[in-house]
Amino acid sequence: MKKLIALLLALVMVFALAACGQQAAPAQTGEIVINFPSIWVGTDSKAEYMGKLIEAFNAENAGAIKVVVEEQTDYQAYRDKIRTTITTGSAPDVCILDTTFDIKAYAESGKFMDLTPYLDAGWGKNFTDGAFDAWSVDGKVSILPFESAVFTPIYNKTLFEKAGWDHFPATYDEFFQFCEDCKANGINAMGQMAGDNAWSSMLWYSLIVEAIGGKDVYANGLKDPAFVEAAKVLKQMYDYTFDGAVSATAGDVNGHFIGRDTAIYLNGPWWIANFYKEDNAVDGKLLADECEVAVNPSYGDGKGNGGLVTTVQGFLAAAKQDDPAKEAAVVKFLQYVTDPTHVSELALSSGAMFFVKYTPSPDTNVISQKVTEVANSAEFTILHVNGAFPTAFSTEFPAAVSALVLGEVDEQGFVDMLQTAIDNAA
Amino acid sequence: MKPTRSDRSALAAFMAPALIIMLVFFVIPVIYVVVVSFLKWNGISTASFTDIQNFAKLFNDKAFVRSVINNVIWALVAGFIQVPLAMVMAIILSRKPRGWKFFRTVYFFPQVISGIALATLWRAIYSADTGLLNGLLRSVGLGSVARDWLGTVDTAFPAVLIYWVFYVGYYMVIMMADITTIDTSYYEAATIDGASDFQQAIYITIPLIKRTSLLTCITLASVLGLRQFEQVYMLTNGGPANTTSTMVLYMYKKLQDTNYGMASASAVVLIIVGVIFIVCIRALFNIGNDEVRAQKKVRRAVK
């Protein structure tokens, strides 16, 4: 009897463990379930419209296809999860990637669905010209660039006036004169951060690199002298930001700009919606009413005049499917999400930009319109540095920036730190 | 009495689940990590053997060396400052002074709060421009001392480490539980002999908990010190300039880079450092030597 009980206990434990790995059964017999872990949930600017879009897709395909969203509001946790699932061979049916993933390697891995036949059949016409050029492997597209972003400074006109300026600096020399005037008037010229992922400093560094090195600055990796020169300028900028920028995070940078003590803000277009939020208004005046869109200043004899820093903010990828019916369902869902009508609505609700050809809504806010004008008038574009280099670059960037600003390394040492990180990962 | 065949079967059946779990979730992953530490692998392409290159890169990387040093400091502070503090509190509260239950609860309370929440709270306290600490310093005329505590090379690591040292509740309750098992007759006899509370603590309490809860707490604290992650990740993400990095954070960053070879190599180093720590702690408490001596004694007696 004892033996029997012991054996039963052991079996119960083994089966309990085995049950942990079971997946939820489809909601209805014959219904194809598409698993979609998403960061476009919670407070994300695309959350509201994406929620409605998926609901509408499920309603239109009731009984046949069901998209099940796994909500993940923490961006880094989302990246970690997706990276792990792909590595372990259990990539989700649909997922969102960004430039922190090694997109080329993922595209080459064969773990994702080849979307080329569907794009060639007409779907590809929905996307902007050349959208797939940088991300296709051997002419095949398996990872779709979807959300784009451009990075151009936005400034607070009220603070500019307070500093005695009526225009945005056209050159970096002028920029630092402006910084001095800000300092004299107790204003932080711009927000910098070396904490977390050093996002703001990474964007500023990208702008300076673009201004100095121009469109071919990435051609020789970090060997271009523009990277060392740009490090010098970035370090100088830390003299004109708020206290504690070395340990600051994006929340600090945003908070200082919303608090009207930082004159220039640099972030992606997804943040524009916040300019129109009542919560960020002061004395009934919206932040948007005080702001103007500018372009990246030029740098001495730099090669970057008229250039623009961009990135692919979000890629859509689908795991390779053995079942043709499921593959068709996944493609149907991707086509639904990237439909120009839906993307137009998504752009309006979120302020984000996309690699899909769509007619902007006439209700698009003024700042978004101006950012789009800046994007359309750019003579050339380059990716931001995080997007242009392997993931190891972006992982090391915060440490390198803080080391540079605190004098632990010089400008060349800063670039060397980044190069070593890339080499170690290669 | 020799176990029967039936007993052996029952023992095997009862032990099997634990052994299977241990094998599946510990032994196999550790072997796997050791194997991957010798590979160049990004998780998606084919892995290739790189002999000890990953380890060579690790020890040439200042950030990793700094991480190892930080972890060793952390483990030492945990084992030899945090636990002794907890022991002092446990001894004091075990004497049941007035309000001891209140203080026991107060000291234990941080243990039930998430480490992430505590780190967020302390991040706000250390904030350079709006932080409570700098505000306090400025209000008492020490504005010159105010600084970016988490953004300065000299202060970042102490700032991350110091607040946590005082969260002694977990070890305190373990030792309090042990102290309550000590026979009160020892204290009664000592009191009759005129021993003070301090002498009783030194000559009765500490020797009697030394080999049990004190050793357990030092081992636990040191191992947790070596595994530090969330606190550093939340407060500084290893910055500034990698001065607060730890081995687990370093490993995490290598995983983000999909550099599984170096991530696994750093995990192997972490395991080795952990083993060295445990061996040292056991040596410090004479654990192995005592057991050997006891076994020899038994053998001599049997002969």
Side-chain angles (χ1 to χ4, degrees):
Chain A
M1 186 63 188
K2 273 184 193 171
K3 272 199 284 184
L4 187 67
I5 292 170
L7 191 67
L8 281 172
L9 275 171
L11 285 172
V12 165
M13 287 192 73
V14 169
F15 281 114
L17 279 169
C20 294
Q22 296 290 315
Q23 287 189 348
Q28 290 177 31
T29 314
E31 189 177 54
I32 295 169
V33 175
I34 297 173
N35 168 29
F36 178 30
S38 175
I39 41 164
W40 297 333
V41 293
T43 56
D44 186 277
S45 59
K46 290 175 284 301
E48 193 183 343
Y49 188 73
M50 278 304 294
K52 285 179 190 166
L53 199 63
I54 291 166
E55 210 172 284
F57 179 83
N58 284 341
E60 282 176 26
N61 295 281
I65 309 170
K66 186 180 182 184
V67 176
V68 177
V69 174
E70 271 180 41
E71 297 199 3
Q72 176 59 266
T73 52
D74 184 313
Y75 291 83
Q76 193 52 50
Y78 180 83
R79 291 184 191 111
D80 292 343
K81 180 193 166 118
I82 298 298
R83 200 169 275 128
T84 309
T85 55
I86 294 170
T87 301
T88 53
S90 50
D93 296 329
V94 177
C95 64
I96 305 157
L97 305 178
D98 62 20
T99 52
T100 63
F101 292 84
D102 195 344
I103 296 296
K104 277 272 185 178
Y106 279 28
E108 284 166 358
S109 70
K111 295 190 177 193
F112 293 96
M113 197 187 288
D114 179 12
L115 300 169
T116 323
Y118 303 100
L119 292 164
D120 289 347
W123 180 27
K125 286 178 187 164
N126 288 351
F127 291 84
T128 53
D129 300 335
F132 309 120
D133 290 354
W135 314 106
S136 57
V137 174
D138 299 331
K140 289 182 178 176
V141 179
S142 57
I143 295 176
L144 280 180
F146 179 56
E147 185 186 352
S148 64
V150 299
F151 303 97
T152 198
I154 294 176
Y155 65 98
N156 185 316
K157 290 178 288 185
T158 313
L159 293 179
F160 262 60
E161 280 166 25
K162 200 175 159 190
W165 284 67
D166 61 0
H167 66 281
F168 193 82
T171 65
Y172 272 96
D173 284 340
E174 218 185 338
F175 184 89
F176 283 106
Q177 285 169 24
F178 163 75
C179 290
E180 282 296 330
D181 292 337
C182 278
K183 204 170 198 176
N185 287 282
I187 301 164
N188 302 308
M190 89 298 291
Q192 294 284 352
M193 55 176 272
D196 267 0
N197 56 2
W199 179 251
S200 302
S201 292
M202 186 280 294
L203 291 179
W204 277 111
Y205 186 60
S206 302
L207 257 66
I208 308 160
V209 162
E210 184 277 317
I212 299 171
K215 63 178 174 181
D216 298 322
V217 70
Y218 298 131
N220 295 312
L222 285 168
K223 290 192 183 96
D224 193 301
F227 292 99
V228 174
E229 187 69 17
K232 203 183 291 175
V233 180
L234 181 67
K235 186 178 179 181
Q236 198 180 346
M237 282 184 170
Y238 268 78
D239 293 336
Y240 304 101
T241 188
F242 49 81
D243 286 346
V246 172
S247 63
T249 62
D252 298 313
V253 173
N254 297 341
H256 279 280
F257 190 70
I258 292 168
R260 301 339 189 238
D261 68 19
T262 298
I264 307 170
Y265 184 73
L266 183 58
N267 205 344
W270 58 84
W271 211 81
I272 293 172
N274 292 295
F275 286 80
Y276 292 89
K277 281 187 179 166
E278 295 286 343
D279 293 352
N280 298 334
V282 171
D283 298 332
K285 201 174 181 184
L286 290 174
L287 185 57
D289 296 338
E290 296 182 54
C291 290
E292 188 57 78
V293 178
V295 292
N296 188 16
S298 60
Y299 186 88
D301 55 356
K303 304 168 190 167
N305 284 349
L308 183 73
V309 173
T310 66
T311 195
V312 183
Q313 192 61 26
F315 295 87
L316 284 170
K320 199 172 188 175
Q321 301 289 342
D322 296 328
D323 176 8
K326 187 154 188 182
E327 179 170 320
V330 169
V331 170
K332 190 175 185 182
F333 174 62
L334 291 176
Q335 288 175 335
Y336 191 81
V337 171
T338 57
D339 179 272
T341 317
H342 297 148
V343 171
S344 175
E345 289 292 321
L346 185 58
L348 176 66
S349 72
S350 65
M353 300 168 88
F354 298 91
F355 287 99
V356 172
K357 289 177 194 160
Y358 62 92
T359 311
S361 164
D363 298 329
T364 305
N365 67 58
V366 176
I367 291 185
S368 290
Q369 284 178 28
K370 287 182 179 175
V371 169
T372 306
E373 279 168 27
V374 168
N376 292 338
S377 63
E379 290 170 25
F380 64 89
T381 61
I382 66 164
L383 288 172
H384 61 45
V385 286
N386 275 4
F389 292 107
T391 313
F393 178 99
S394 53
T395 313
E396 185 67 359
F397 192 79
V401 172
S402 50
L404 172 74
V405 174
L406 296 171
E408 296 288 304
V409 293
D410 61 9
E411 291 80 10
Q412 184 60 54
F414 164 81
V415 175
D416 290 345
M417 277 181 80
L418 297 168
Q419 186 63 59
T420 306
I422 294 171
D423 292 344
N424 278 342
Chain B
M1 198 174 73
K2 232 181 170 183
T4 63
R5 195 174 163 184
S6 157
D7 288 340
R8 280 198 294 270
S9 304
L11 274 171
F14 275 113
M15 286 176 72
L19 284 174
I20 291 167
I21 290 170
M22 179 85 172
L23 191 73
V24 172
F25 294 107
F26 182 72
V27 179
I28 293 174
V30 166
I31 293 169
Y32 186 71
V33 162
V34 174
V35 171
V36 175
S37 71
F38 293 100
L39 302 177
K40 183 185 172 192
W41 186 44
N42 66 2
I44 39 177
S45 58
T46 313
S48 58
F49 181 69
T50 60
D51 55 67
I52 57 160
Q53 271 186 37
N54 289 328
F55 291 94
K57 280 181 185 174
L58 272 188
F59 288 101
N60 279 323
D61 187 347
K62 284 179 191 167
F64 182 73
V65 175
R66 181 73 198 224
S67 303
V68 176
I69 293 168
N70 284 347
N71 268 126
V72 170
I73 294 172
W74 205 303
L76 289 173
V77 168
F80 299 100
I81 296 181
Q82 193 183 30
V83 173
L85 269 177
M87 185 187 71
V88 170
M89 295 312 302
I91 290 170
I92 293 170
L93 293 185
S94 297
R95 308 294 291 187
K96 299 189 177 166
R98 202 168 171 183
W100 70 277
K101 281 185 180 172
F102 170 76
F103 285 107
R104 184 183 60 181
T105 308
V106 166
Y107 283 114
F108 190 74
F109 193 63
Q111 305 300 324
V112 296
I113 301 173
S114 137
I116 302 282
L118 286 174
T120 308
L121 173 76
W122 278 91
R123 190 173 171 79
I125 291 171
Y126 285 136
S127 170
D129 51 355
T130 56
L132 186 69
L133 181 57
N134 281 349
L136 193 69
L137 289 168
R138 287 183 190 115
S139 68
V140 296
L142 292 170
S144 59
V145 182
R147 66 192 62 211
D148 183 5
W149 297 97
L150 297 174
T152 307
V153 168
D154 297 335
T155 58
F157 187 63
V160 171
L161 187 63
I162 208 159
Y163 82 82
W164 158 90
V165 169
F166 296 101
Y167 292 147
V168 296
Y170 181 63
Y171 305 116
M172 185 190 78
V173 291
I174 291 175
M175 284 187 275
M176 277 183 77
D178 195 18
I179 292 169
T180 55
T181 64
I182 297 173
D183 196 329
T184 51
S185 60
Y186 294 134
Y187 295 106
E188 286 161 8
T191 308
I192 291 165
D193 287 343
S196 66
D197 285 350
F198 179 73
Q199 286 169 321
Q200 287 178 28
I202 295 291
Y203 298 110
I204 300 173
T205 311
I206 295 175
L208 288 174
I209 65 167
K210 192 177 97 174
R211 310 296 292 278
T212 52
S213 58
L214 185 59
L215 172 66
T216 305
C217 289
I218 288 176
T219 309
L220 270 177
S222 300
V223 170
L224 289 176
L226 290 176
R227 282 172 27 195
Q228 266 306 324
F229 173 74
E230 62 180 11
Q231 207 165 311
V232 178
Y233 177 69
M234 287 301 296
L235 278 173
T236 62
N237 194 24
N242 289 321
T243 48
T244 60
S245 183
T246 61
M247 280 190 277
V248 180
L249 183 64
Y250 183 91
M251 184 169 67
Y252 174 70
K253 287 183 176 179
K254 291 298 164 200
L255 288 172
Q256 283 185 323
D257 297 349
T258 56
N259 189 346
Y260 290 94
M262 279 185 76
S264 300
S266 57
V268 170
V269 175
L270 176 61
I271 292 170
I272 293 168
V273 173
V275 169
I276 292 171
F277 251 84
I278 289 170
V279 168
C280 289
I281 291 167
R282 286 175 66 86
L284 193 72
F285 282 79
N286 263 325
I287 296 291
N289 295 342
D290 278 12
E291 279 169 9
V292 171
R293 271 199 295 272
Q295 279 170 4
K296 279 181 183 168
K297 223 178 205 176
V298 170
R299 274 192 215 118
R300 274 200 298 271
V302 170
K303 277 178 190 170

